[in-house]
Amino acid sequence: MPEFMGRYPGDYAPPAFVEAGFPAWARWSHYLNFFFMVLIVRTGLLVRTQQKPDAFFTPKSGGKKISIYLWLHTSIDILWLLNGALFVVLLFTSGHWARIVPTSWEVFPNAFGAGLQYLTLEWPHEDGWVNYNSLQQLMYFTVVFIAAPLAAITGIRMSEWWPKRTERLNKLYPAPIARAVHFPTMLFFVLFVIVHVFLVLSTGTLKNLNHMFAGTPEPSWVGFSWFAGGLLVAAIVTWAARPMVLAPIASLFGKVSER
């Protein structure tokens, strides 16, 4: 094992073209992704568990009447997808993609090595400003390129946008399959966020928060201040996302009614 760990310490050198640090677009996309996901999870659980919605929404163009929480869930989904699409475009046009896309087969033994270090509570070497360890890289790749598309394609299948009269397409992609995948995917995102935040806070809180919120490797409380402010905004908006507040906004796009 010591020989293995010496050969695969948990990470490998990134390509020479990858610049250190996090550009502003990556930092804003990171926060918006968190902000939208909080609302998506909250409204998704309400849609799943609420039997008698407090209000309903009907589009101006006509269509099925849905609960106002389903309207909000779908609307936030669109913003989340737009944010993700812009992130992926900028990721590949900037060369930043190599931070989360493996560029060597060494990623797998190094990910195993990093995992062993996490299990023994001896954290692997952290220098996220320059390079992620291999386990982080695989997880971020999974979130961006596997879990997010799964959430999107299963969500679309269950939405009102899915064509209802295409019997052949519906047989090829039944709604129960989409429903069976969509909820576990949400649970995966929730678990990922919990573990991610725990590791961020336990492997150098100020340093890590400065990386992603202040855009600097220098130690200070600036990143923490932005992080705390972002949490407060997310909490306030989540609390305010109720029919009394949502109705005036939803009425701009359709009709809001109690039944």
Side-chain angles (χ1 to χ4, degrees):
M1 188 59 67
E3 182 180 352
F4 176 86
M5 295 300 297
R7 185 175 179 182
Y8 302 109
D11 63 354
Y12 61 95
F17 62 81
V18 180
E19 297 182 0
F22 300 91
W25 59 264
R27 303 198 306 271
W28 273 104
S29 181
H30 177 267
Y31 174 72
L32 289 175
N33 183 61
F34 161 77
F35 177 78
F36 291 144
M37 283 189 62
V38 169
L39 288 172
I40 288 171
V41 171
R42 170 62 175 160
T43 55
L45 290 175
L46 286 171
V47 170
R48 185 180 178 88
T49 59
Q50 195 175 46
Q51 296 181 351
K52 294 182 178 180
D54 299 320
F56 294 88
F57 172 82
T58 306
K60 286 183 178 180
S61 58
K64 182 180 178 181
K65 183 187 295 184
I66 59 176
S67 76
I68 197 167
Y69 286 121
L70 181 55
W71 168 80
L72 178 62
H73 184 76
T74 305
S75 302
I76 299 298
D77 280 342
I78 296 173
L79 297 177
W80 181 69
L81 289 173
L82 291 174
N83 179 60
L86 180 60
F87 173 78
V88 171
V89 169
L90 293 173
L91 194 70
F92 282 98
T93 56
S94 66
H96 204 70
W97 63 269
R99 290 182 64 99
I100 65 172
V101 177
T103 57
S104 170
W105 290 109
E106 291 185 7
V107 67
F108 295 107
N110 273 297
F112 183 72
L116 289 177
Q117 293 175 71
Y118 281 124
L119 289 175
T120 59
L121 300 183
E122 295 182 4
W123 306 132
H125 174 68
E126 292 286 342
D127 192 8
W129 184 255
V130 176
N131 190 30
Y132 293 129
N133 70 53
S134 294
L135 187 57
Q136 289 175 315
Q137 188 178 56
L138 287 178
M139 288 305 301
Y140 296 151
F141 177 86
T142 300
V143 167
V144 174
F145 297 106
I146 298 178
L150 268 180
I153 61 177
T154 54
I156 291 174
R157 177 62 183 91
M158 296 184 297
S159 73
E160 291 302 310
W161 301 329
W162 186 263
K164 301 297 187 293
R165 298 179 180 179
T166 53
E167 295 184 6
R168 185 176 181 182
L169 185 59
N170 290 338
K171 288 182 180 179
L172 289 174
Y173 187 16
I177 291 180
R179 196 171 294 111
V181 174
H182 195 72
F183 186 68
T185 303
M186 183 210 73
L187 295 179
F188 167 80
F189 274 115
V190 172
L191 179 62
F192 170 80
V193 170
I194 292 173
V195 175
H196 177 63
V197 172
F198 169 75
L199 291 176
V200 165
L201 298 180
S202 62
T203 59
T205 302
L206 295 183
K207 175 191 69 175
N208 291 328
L209 293 179
N210 271 344
H211 288 178
M212 189 51 70
F213 286 90
T216 175
E218 301 300 326
S220 70
W221 287 88
V222 175
F224 180 85
S225 300
W226 280 105
F227 169 72
L231 283 182
L232 180 62
V233 169
I236 291 174
V237 173
T238 302
W239 173 83
R242 53 190 64 199
M244 182 176 65
V245 177
L246 295 175
I249 302 173
S251 63
L252 298 174
F253 305 94
K255 179 183 177 181
V256 178
S257 59
E258 294 183 359
R259 293 185 180 180

